[in-house]
Amino acid sequence: VLGATGSVTAVVAGSFVLGFLVGSEASATVLTVVGTGGCGAFTTFSTFALDAVNGRGRHTAIVVATSLGAGLAVAVVGYAIAG
C-alpha cells in the first residue's frame, strides 16, 4: 500500500482541482487545458492503473477503493467550494 501512496495522493488532489474547475464554471478552454491536460498529466492515471494491477488481493482493493472513493468525495467538495 505504501508504494501507491503517491499515486493515490495525486489522484485525490487532481480530483479536487477538477471538481473545483467544473464548479467554478470555467470556460471550455480552461477545462480543456487545465482539466484534461494539467489534471490528466498530474494524476498519472497510468501509474494508478499500474499500482492496481501490480498489487495483490487486498493491496489492489485498497488502492482502487481509496483512489475512487476519496477522488469522488474531494471532487464533490471542490465543486461545492467553487459554487
Side-chain angles (χ1 to χ4, degrees), residues 3-80:
T5 303
S7 296
V8 172
T9 301
V11 167
V12 171
S15 296
F16 175 82
V17 171
L18 192 55
F20 185 86
L21 286 173
V22 172
S24 69
E25 299 178 5
S27 69
T29 302
V30 170
L31 284 175
T32 300
V33 173
V34 178
T36 304
C39 290
F42 177 71
T43 59
T44 60
F45 183 77
S46 59
T47 304
F48 158 72
L50 184 63
D51 286 339
V53 170
N54 284 339
R56 297 186 185 268
R58 187 172 178 192
H59 174 268
T60 300
I62 291 169
V63 168
V64 171
T66 302
S67 292
L68 294 177
L72 287 171
V74 299
V76 170
V77 170
Y79 183 87

